[in-house]
Amino acid sequence: MTEAQDRKPRSDEARGGFAAPGADNESQTTSEFALPRGLAVAKAGTESETTSEFAVPDGLDVPQSPAGDFEGSAFSLPRTYSSQQAPPAFTPAGGVPRVSLMKDVPWQDRMRTMLRMPVTERPAPELVRKAEEEGPAVPRVLDLTLRIGELLLAGGEGAEDVEAAMFAVCRSYGLDRCEPTVTFTLLSISYQPSLVDDPVTASRTVRRRATDYTRLAAVFQLVDDLSDPETQTSLEESYRRLAEIRRNRHPYPTWVLTAASGLLAGAASVLVGGDLVVFVAAALGAMLGDRLAWLSAGRGLPEFYQFTVAAMPPAAIGIALTLAHVDVKASAVVTGGLFALLPGRALVAGVQDGLTGFYITAAARLLEVMYFFVGIVTGVLLMLYVGVQLGAHLNPDAALGSAHRPLWQIGASMLLSLTFAVLLQQERSTVLAVTLNGGVAWTVYGAMRYTGDISPVASTAVAAGLVGLFGQLLSRYRFASALPYTTAAIGPLLPGSATYFGLLAIAQNEVDKGLVSLTKAAALAMAIAIGVNLGSEISRLFLRVPGGSAGGRRAAKRTRGF
């Protein structure tokens, strides 16, 4: 038997069939299921031979999914999509708005324009790495952003400018799809690389507030350098500069601040008709109140009690001069002491936040102003009640009957702005500008109020508007914050005399008259805040502000869009 003949019966047996009849040494029985000898059948593979209309044709190559992948659904990503290669933003149907990002435009305007646009419509330029090849880690960039925002918010900056600064820091490191949120005590920021990636969110609580405009200017300079595309500032360098800003000591020692507080009160007393004796008395009262406030702060007392304690010495000295029958105007002494305590900075910031749509922060700031004001009222009222019980005859009209001295009052207003700038820890380079700005404010107010016989509220609003206008122009010229150029300049306009007369009337059981005077003081304070903000907004009409192709400013995006 040949080898082929010997292999056939074994193959048939291996297939489970029966041998054909006539074969040697094999069974002659067969079956109807046996395959014919001339039919070649392909060997079966590892998969089942059963098929259906959903089976893939043999000639079509389909890429196999990796092992361990789950079955997809209607919400699963397409297999060809890669979030790492996706564009940073989608192009809207109307095209990407044209936004000027040139260096000669202040970064505040550039970032405000970007924030007022929807996230998907913000232009996303090519990502520029700054010193690191792979780019900084997202959590570290968010942490740096929050630390910078904390310094700005604690320094008294408005919520809108804090948001713009935080967005500028994130954008400088390539994080375009970020959303900063600013409230009175909490900062948060969220970054989402794309619509399908998980967002990264970080927050920071602002617990301590310190007025130091020198530090504020340094932070603005850091943000300006970061937002400059020609400046390559690494993340480590930014952290180093930020640490230096936080460690820097105040530019003025403590004794200079105390002396500035006294000079401020003395200058304010001259504005309301005081002479040399009143100047000295008001200065001594303010310096004593400042030292008592520092002592209370060192003992951990809240600011409410600090303002209460600081308001007592000027009122006590004014009452003592009245009881000693010294021919001075005691009301001017008390009024001068109040000028050094009125929270004008917090009031302007609170009203500005409300006008720009940050209502939660505005409500918190105004509530803080109310607490400070109540503390001042409490301290002064305690001294006035004591004076009335001791028989002191205080005349509410004493300061109003003085002759107007324009040159003396202009000089006093400039001295008041100068000392106020020192108390705010401003840079020495900005003191001269804010001093001149304060003199201009009082000149306009005096011309309208005394020469033109216009209402004090309208005169105050116009003078404060000029302060805001000039302050905003000066700040944009130097690409800095507007606070150092406006806050100290509104010092001569603060309603110190109206506040004192209202408190004095209440202490003499003339509640109706006192409430009318306090209402006038509140109206003057609101006129100052609104005037400063309106002047700042008007100044932007003369500046080139980045915007859409129509050249219009997206003002509706700042509020509800009505």
Side-chain angles (χ1 to χ4, degrees), residues 20 86 100 102 122 255 341 353 454 491 534 555:
S100 174
M102 295 184 296
R122 294 174 186 170
W255 68 270
L341 298 176
D353 288 341
I454 303 176
L534 183 60

Side-chain angles (χ1 to χ4, degrees), residues 107-476:
W107 63 264
Q108 296 98 315
D109 288 336
R110 285 182 283 159
M111 296 305 112
R112 282 198 187 101
T113 303
M114 299 288 290
L115 281 173
R116 292 169 199 155
M117 300 171 60
V119 178
T120 55
E121 294 184 9
R122 294 174 186 170
E126 294 293 332
L127 185 61
V128 178
R129 302 298 184 188
K130 295 196 172 186
E132 292 90 357
E133 294 183 358
E134 299 180 356
V138 172
R140 296 197 66 198
V141 175
L142 299 184
D143 177 71
L144 176 67
T145 303
L146 291 174
R147 291 178 183 273
I148 290 177
E150 177 189 10
L151 287 180
L152 294 176
L153 188 63
E157 190 62 71
E160 186 180 27
D161 290 329
V162 175
E163 273 198 357
M166 293 173 64
F167 183 75
V169 175
C170 285
R171 184 175 173 81
S172 65
Y173 289 105
L175 307 186
D176 299 301
R177 302 177 63 89
C178 63
E179 288 293 339
T181 304
V182 178
T183 59
F184 185 61
T185 57
L186 181 65
L187 298 173
S188 63
I189 188 167
S190 179
Y191 170 68
Q192 189 175 14
S194 65
L195 296 178
V196 296
D197 288 328
D198 295 332
V200 181
T201 304
S203 62
R204 191 174 183 87
T205 303
V206 181
R207 303 187 184 277
R208 298 185 60 186
R209 300 180 183 275
T211 304
D212 189 345
Y213 283 178
T214 300
R215 178 181 298 174
L216 190 69
V219 176
F220 262 74
Q221 184 61 46
L222 174 60
V223 177
D224 185 40
D225 293 340
L226 288 175
S227 58
D228 186 2
E230 299 179 0
T231 304
Q232 300 296 326
T233 306
S234 65
L235 191 62
E236 298 299 331
E237 176 67 16
S238 300
Y239 267 108
R240 185 190 64 79
R241 291 180 58 180
L242 187 62
E244 290 180 355
I245 293 174
R246 297 180 69 95
R247 287 196 302 263
N248 279 348
R249 299 178 60 87
H250 298 305
Y252 307 103
T254 304
W255 68 270
V256 173
L257 299 179
T258 302
S261 178
L263 292 176
L264 189 152
S269 66
V270 174
L271 284 179
V272 292
D275 52 11
L276 182 60
V277 177
V278 172
F279 181 93
V280 175
L284 290 177
M287 287 189 291
L288 182 58
D290 180 76
R291 287 295 88 196
L292 291 177
W294 276 94
L295 181 62
S296 302
R299 295 296 183 269
L301 291 179
E303 287 183 305
F304 175 85
Y305 301 105
Q306 297 176 27
F307 275 82
T308 301
V309 171
M312 289 182 178
I317 291 178
I319 294 172
L321 292 176
T322 302
L323 291 175
H325 302 287
V326 180
D327 188 15
V328 296
K329 297 174 180 178
S331 57
V333 176
V334 183
T335 300
L338 291 179
F339 265 87
L341 298 176
L342 292 178
R345 172 185 59 86
L347 175 66
V348 172
V351 175
Q352 180 181 359
D353 288 341
L355 294 176
T356 52
F358 296 86
Y359 302 112
I360 297 178
T361 307
R365 288 186 189 272
L366 294 179
L367 185 62
E368 181 188 38
V369 171
M370 187 191 72
Y371 271 104
F372 291 164
F373 189 76
V374 171
I376 297 172
V377 167
T378 303
V380 175
L381 277 180
L382 286 176
M383 293 294 100
L384 290 180
Y385 275 122
V386 172
V388 171
Q389 296 300 322
L390 295 177
H393 299 284
L394 301 173
N395 184 10
D397 298 327
L400 297 178
S402 61
H404 303 301
R405 301 167 295 178
L407 297 180
W408 281 94
Q409 289 179 335
I410 292 175
S413 65
M414 296 178 67
L415 178 60
L416 193 152
S417 299
L418 172 66
T419 53
F420 202 174
V422 174
L423 288 176
L424 293 174
Q425 304 282 356
Q426 292 189 196
E427 290 181 306
R428 292 177 174 85
S429 60
T430 63
V431 171
L432 178 60
V434 74
T435 301
L436 295 177
N437 202 7
V440 171
W442 181 260
T443 301
V444 173
Y445 172 79
M448 295 181 63
R449 177 71 183 95
Y450 302 123
T451 304
D453 198 17
I454 303 176
S455 67
V457 176
S459 303
T460 302
V462 173
L466 288 179
V467 169
L469 175 63
F470 294 150
Q472 195 68 232
L473 292 176
L474 287 172
S475 67
R476 295 310 171 87

Side-chain angles (χ1 to χ4, degrees), residues 68-101:
D69 281 2
F70 295 99
E71 184 178 357
S73 65
F75 301 97
S76 61
L77 297 177
R79 299 185 183 277
T80 59
Y81 180 84
S82 174
S83 60
Q84 301 296 331
Q85 301 176 357
F90 296 99
T91 303
V96 177
R98 185 180 64 186
V99 178
S100 174
L101 297 176

